[in-house]
Amino acid sequence: MLFKDISSKHLVEVADIVTLSNPYELTVVGRYLWGEEIQDPEVFDKTDLCFLSGEPLPRCWHDSRYRDKEVRRLRCGTHASEDGDYYQGA
């Protein structure tokens, strides 16, 4: 899968999508795509990569605690959303 390095704007090919979408892995192995030869693999921080459109990676791919605020709100018994979901569990 192709991504763009935010700082250098170069294309990066990432082959391991499982590691990319795992929020407990902060880095991913990829290769720059430039020149005629295949580049050596390098380790990239997920926060330094974005989609080709410039959109950042989903937060759930690099932040293992991305739902903490929502879970805390649900456990306290407050309204979860506008559509009437309400949780009163322990």
Side-chain angles (χ1 to χ4, degrees):
M1 194 168 190
L2 291 178
F3 296 96
K4 186 168 45 173
D5 184 8
I6 293 173
S7 59
S8 67
K9 306 290 188 219
H10 291 294
L11 294 180
V12 176
E13 180 183 25
V14 176
D16 189 7
I17 303 302
V18 174
T19 303
L20 182 67
S21 62
N22 182 353
Y24 297 101
E25 295 285 340
L26 301 178
T27 59
V28 67
V29 176
R31 298 173 191 258
Y32 280 116
L33 291 181
W34 62 27
E36 295 181 12
E37 297 180 10
I38 296 176
Q39 304 298 316
D40 293 330
E42 296 183 36
V43 177
F44 296 92
D45 285 338
K46 290 182 188 179
T47 56
D48 293 338
L49 298 176
C50 67
F51 290 106
L52 297 179
S53 64
E55 183 180 352
L57 298 181
R59 187 171 163 208
C60 62
W61 284 10
H62 59 83
D63 183 6
S64 63
R65 303 186 69 140
Y66 75 101
R67 292 191 67 193
D68 281 357
K69 188 182 292 185
E70 179 183 350
V71 170
R72 197 174 313 117
R73 186 173 65 235
L74 289 174
R75 285 191 180 156
C76 293
T78 59
H79 290 283
S81 65
E82 304 280 334
D83 61 351
D85 289 339
Y86 189 71
Y87 178 76
Q88 293 181 337

